[in-house]
Each structure stands twice: as C-alpha cells, then as structure tokens.
Amino acid sequence: SYLPLLASLPALYRGERVVAQPVDGTAEWHVNRRLNVAASAAAHRRYFADADEIFVELFDREPLDDQPRFVADMGCGDGSWLIHLHRLVGERTLRGRHLDTHPLGIVGIDLNPAALDAARANLADAEVPATLIPGDVADPDALAAALAAHGLAICDGLHVRAFIDHDRDYVGGDPAVAVTG
C-alpha cells in the first residue's frame, strides 16, 4: 500500500520535493489508502480473535442495563472488527440473547473517507446496522459532539481501537519541557 511512497525514495533521499501536500478533497499521494485499509483488516484478524474472550466476559455480565450502550471503533478501517464484534456478541453472549430488549449500537469512526466508504460497504454487506462518523482520536470533544448528534453519550460506549497511529502531527506538550534521551 505504500508503494507510491517507496517508489519516491530515491528522489526523497536526494532531498527533492516529490509532491506538494494534498489539497483538501484530493487523494493521498504516498499511500494507496483502499489497499492499506484492506491490508490492515487482514493483519488484525488474529488480534480480533485473541480479544474475543474479553468481550464475551463483558457482554455476559449482569445486569444488562449496566453494559455499554454501544461499541465504537476509533480508526474502524473497513469495519471488519465491528462486524466481528457484532457477530460475537450476538452469537456467544447473554447480551446477544437479549438484543431485542437491550440493543447494542455499532459505531465506526475514522479520519479517512476511504476507510469510512469501505466500512459502510462491508457493514451493509454483513447486514450490520451501524453509525459511521468521521473522527480523530486527537479530538475527543468533537467525537463527543458527533456521537451526541446521533443520540449517544460518549461515556455510554465501549471504545475500542486496534489501529496503529501514523501520519500524525505531534500537537501536544509543553515546549518549555526539555526532552532527554
């Protein structure tokens, strides 16, 4: 998925500017994002399965009213984990046997429009009803507002994340604090 970037390495090593920063609404120059989203989902499948027992234990707890109202995947990619969790809860948990009285919302959040498009298609194909919203892990206030627009309180959800952060600007920290090695 990073072949566009890797193909530019000789020029980058020479200090040449390869492309300008993408303008809003244009494709990323350095990565085939659709391929990247699909590859990430494939790479995470074992992680998803390894976490199953944690989710089974959580959604078997009583009382059901104390369980999360929704599951939100920040950096949902193509929606694979949400589909997996929806099936897992539905097939293997106490909550799954009571979804008629205690529905579990599914929320996919991603910064990348291509990822949200893939998630929308995959969730629809899997017949998993979901709310999909753009969101940035670095902006929890905006996420809370976006969830509230869909009638969800951020504190009522189980927030999961299997995404590796990259292509991110560092925006925090006190510049007066010295960094030591």
Side-chain angles (χ1 to χ4, degrees), residues 1-2 28 31-45 48 75-81 110-120 122 163 166:
S1 64
Y2 283 93
E28 299 166 286
V31 64
N32 178 330
R33 186 57 66 187
R34 290 192 189 278
L35 179 59
N36 181 260
V37 167
S40 292
H44 285 105
R45 281 197 183 95
F48 299 162
C76 68
D78 73 352
S80 294
W81 200 13
D110 208 293
L111 187 61
N112 189 279
L116 288 173
D117 288 345
R120 186 172 291 105
N122 289 337
F163 188 80
H166 56 81

Side-chain angles (χ1 to χ4, degrees), residues 73-153:
D73 183 5
M74 172 59 79
C76 68
D78 73 352
S80 294
W81 200 13
L82 290 170
I83 293 166
H84 178 84
L85 290 174
H86 182 266
R87 289 180 180 149
L88 178 74
V89 170
E91 295 169 3
R92 292 188 47 201
T93 69
L94 177 65
R95 176 70 169 271
R97 293 187 292 279
H98 296 280
L99 289 174
D100 56 332
T101 58
H102 292 82
L104 180 64
I106 299 295
V107 179
I109 308 156
D110 208 293
L111 187 61
N112 189 279
L116 288 173
D117 288 345
R120 186 172 291 105
N122 289 337
L123 287 156
D125 286 347
E127 299 181 354
V128 175
T131 300
L132 296 170
I133 56 176
D136 186 344
V137 70
D139 194 352
D141 293 336
L143 174 60
L147 289 169
H150 292 278
L152 301 171

Side-chain angles (χ1 to χ4, degrees), residues 1-9 12 18 28-32:
S1 64
Y2 283 93
L3 186 57
L5 174 65
L6 296 173
S8 301
L9 284 179
L12 291 170
V18 175
E28 299 166 286
W29 71 269
H30 68 291
V31 64
N32 178 330

